[in-house]
Amino acid sequence: MRVIALAMACALLALLSTAVKAQHPAHGAIKGRVTVEDGTPVPGVGLRLKDSRKQTTSNENGTYTLRNITPGTYTVEVFITGRDVISRSVTVTAGETAEADFQLSASKQTLQEVIVASGRNKFAKKETDYVARMPLKNLENPQVYSIVGSELMQEQVIVDYKDAIKNVAGVNSTETVSNGRTSTIIRGFRTQNYIRNGMMANQLVTVDVSNLERIEVIKGPSGTLFGTGAVSYGGLVNRVTKKPFDTFKTDVSLTAGSYNLNRITIDLNAPLNKEKTALLRVNFGRHAQESFQEAGFKRNYFLSAAFSYQANERLSFLVDLETFRNRGTPSIAYLNPAAGVTDYKEAMGKYYKRTFYTNDLISTFPGYNVFAQMNYKINSNWNTTTVFSTGGVNAREQYQFSGNWLPGKDSITRQLQKYSHNYNTIQLQQNLNGTFHTGSIKHRILVGLDYLADITQPTYTSRFILDTVSASAPTRFLMMEKIYPMFPTPTAQANNFYKSHLDRYGIYASDVINFTDRLLLMLSLRWDKVDNQGTTNLLNGNVTGSYSKSSFSPKFGVVYQLIKDQLSVFANYQNGFTYSAQTDKQGNLFKPEQANQWEGGVKAELFERKLNVTLSAYDINVTDKLRSNPEDPAFSIQDGSQKSKGFEAEVIANPFPGLNITAGYGFNESEITKANANVGKRPARSGGKHMANTWISYRLVKGKLQGLGIGGGLFYNSETPFDDANTLFFPAYALVNSTVFYDRPGYRIGIKLDNVSNTMYWGPWGEPQPPRNYAVNLVIKL
């Protein structure tokens, strides 16, 4: 005990000595702030006294302090790895603190590279203008959302869009259908990936990640600001594309890996004039890979160009053009289980790598997206944004396969379908954002107008059962030149040669009211109208499903910051809605189906944003669902209902420089509460009750091996119901992924190994997911 007491006494004396020395009047200090030209603080920048060992780094506010400096004149240097050193002469006086601020000429892209190199929290980038359609900080926003940034996608060597979304708490993103389209299950509801830069982009094919800056998963029914048709009652997924910035930079990325993966992407950015008012960014990608199954391949090409122009201090433009061409076999092959199957893995596991088709079944998907935006600053408080977006796919040569397993006969029926699909969307949006005060109360206003046309050009489907083959025998080759004539001609009775047109109109407004700098109230309302011109059968001219309906959608939320800019509690009410073309027995149109969510929770950004936490509990009640009329099953009645409630937790942490942690957990109870059958059951494909994700990485931030890092993660999903009756479930699974990387100013090398344990698991339609696989990535930074 005496030894311990003596040691504690020595430590105390040492601390007192240090404190006295720190306050010694014979010494001085230097403090200051590091910003960029627009005043944005720059965290993680190194500062040092030239020819001295004294150094420090700027904090989240861009401030720094160098203490215990002997009086004299010194040179303070700002150093960023791989960039020129900036210096300034400073005179230190005894007992006083000199000031030295630094302003860097750097883009947001450069700032993010600084944050990454410094080992600070690179995954906690929560700022976005899309969630509320106005600038609103995470702690001010009563809605829950998650962001998967390009830094995390690069660290995990992501080459598949749906693999990035698995990093979000409480979501399942394993769905892949025949044409490569993916969907996400959010809070028990299937959610299409239709939103691009906050606008509709009805891309029913594979999305390439090469042009993505981040992916935003916005939780809860969001009909008030985003309308219907593009969002679900669980939320929406918004993919945000790369934008030009004001420095020259080119990244060339090469990736190779399992199943003959061969991928190249080029990201080129350049200012086009010396004033840097005209900026251009071009992205190109080529992705080739075979399937892990017995057949299957893809050869995809992607090209985008984004151009921004600052006409003057008030007026700016952004134009974003994107084109792609996907070619290959159906993305994944899966079988429809037979009636009576109760153990999915036992029954279907033996067919995990079987396709029952060959590489002759080839589809081509050419498509495009066009985005244009004009910003005009009326004055210091008001600005307008005009946005135009259009996009579509012309997939006239699309072939799909489905296999139906026949129990007890060791056989598979093979059905082929030709799907000529040509569709596009056109959207125009006008937003007015402003700030004003009524006394001491601050208002941030959004008023918007929205028009969306969803058009299906002449489209037809043609399908037939080809044959029945042995489930255990080698696959019988498909000679497509012999199969083409076998597709039946579309018939009027089947209504499978058609076109459609649907127009949506929206007027919305939102007022974010700051009663104090801590207490905030959000009030939002949308009036929405849809004019459906119906589906026209091009073989007999009949038009069905035409209607015109309108609906109001409210939203409100409240936030109180318990600790200013660090800890807030929030609650929200959100609404979503869906229209239907069906009529009741008397021929009357049904009113829109409604979803209403109540949610509350806590958001925290603590320890200079080294710890970012979101905890929330929600309850979603869907009413006015259609169900068969018990008295006449040929018609429907509108009194069905469904509930979804749960809890979500997201943690993003940076305990010390170099260590980054992201973790999430979601618990969801979905239940059919009123229907003709299956009351009390969990809806089919509503995801698991329990979902968890975590990713931990460490990167050396000093020394000769600076930039060397390692990472790993665990992703878990409990069993998922196959059908509404809950007679069959897809099994639970846990995945372990890992990576090693070396990131230097001029290059980056990354190696990943996914599904380390070689787990067998399926998506929500029975899609087999990739077994153990690896990829090696080299990025050359020019």
Side-chain angles (χ1 to χ4, degrees), residues 7 179 272 333 454 491 567 603 612 641:
N179 55 16
L272 300 182
D454 196 336
T491 61
L567 179 66
K603 293 183 180 182
N612 187 301
S641 60

Side-chain angles (χ1 to χ4, degrees), residues 257-262 288-293 353 758 770-774:
S258 297
Y259 319 116
N260 202 24
L261 171 63
N262 192 313
Q289 190 172 23
E290 314 301 320
S291 173
F292 68 88
Q293 296 183 302
K353 295 186 178 182
N758 208 27
R772 183 187 300 116
N773 62 94
Y774 75 92

Side-chain angles (χ1 to χ4, degrees), residues 218-237:
I218 304 171
K219 308 289 187 67
S222 301
T224 307
L225 294 184
F226 290 89
T228 185
V231 302
S232 82
Y233 299 145
L236 65 100
V237 180

Side-chain angles (χ1 to χ4, degrees), residues 545-720:
S546 59
Y547 64 87
S548 179
K549 297 182 184 180
S550 63
S551 173
F552 284 96
S553 177
K555 170 186 176 181
F556 62 83
V558 60
V559 175
Y560 181 71
Q561 295 192 25
L562 299 173
I563 305 176
K564 177 64 175 170
D565 297 327
Q566 294 187 66
L567 179 66
S568 65
V569 292
F570 68 91
N572 68 60
Y573 164 81
Q574 293 181 205
N575 174 264
F577 51 95
T578 302
Y579 298 107
S580 172
Q582 295 187 46
T583 61
D584 62 16
K585 194 172 182 178
Q586 288 73 40
N588 300 313
L589 288 168
F590 291 109
K591 58 186 178 182
E593 183 177 297
Q594 296 284 338
N596 297 291
Q597 171 185 278
W598 292 95
E599 181 177 21
V602 177
K603 293 183 180 182
E605 295 179 359
L606 305 172
F607 310 114
E608 296 184 337
R609 295 190 177 182
K610 292 180 180 179
L611 178 63
N612 187 301
V613 178
T614 302
L615 307 175
S616 66
Y618 60 87
D619 188 295
I620 303 173
N621 187 30
V622 184
T623 59
D624 297 327
K625 290 181 68 65
L626 300 182
R627 67 185 181 105
S628 298
N629 189 335
E631 299 177 359
D632 190 345
F635 295 92
S636 295
I637 57 176
Q638 191 174 29
D639 65 350
S641 60
Q642 178 180 330
K643 286 186 72 68
S644 178
K645 59 183 179 180
F647 169 80
E648 291 173 348
E650 178 187 73
V651 177
I652 305 172
N654 177 218
F656 53 83
L659 179 63
N660 286 277
I661 301 170
T662 177
Y665 170 74
F667 171 77
N668 174 265
E669 281 190 316
S670 291
E671 181 183 359
I672 300 170
T673 51
K674 188 170 184 180
N676 289 59
N678 303 315
V679 172
K681 302 292 186 180
R682 189 173 178 85
R685 290 171 287 279
S686 56
K689 276 190 177 183
H690 303 275
M691 288 174 276
N693 63 281
T694 184
W695 182 262
I696 303 174
S697 66
Y698 178 70
R699 166 194 177 116
L700 295 174
V701 296
K702 295 180 180 179
K704 294 182 178 180
L705 294 179
Q706 179 181 2
L708 180 64
I710 186 171
L714 175 67
F715 306 91
Y716 173 79
N717 194 92
S718 61
E719 64 178 11
T720 300

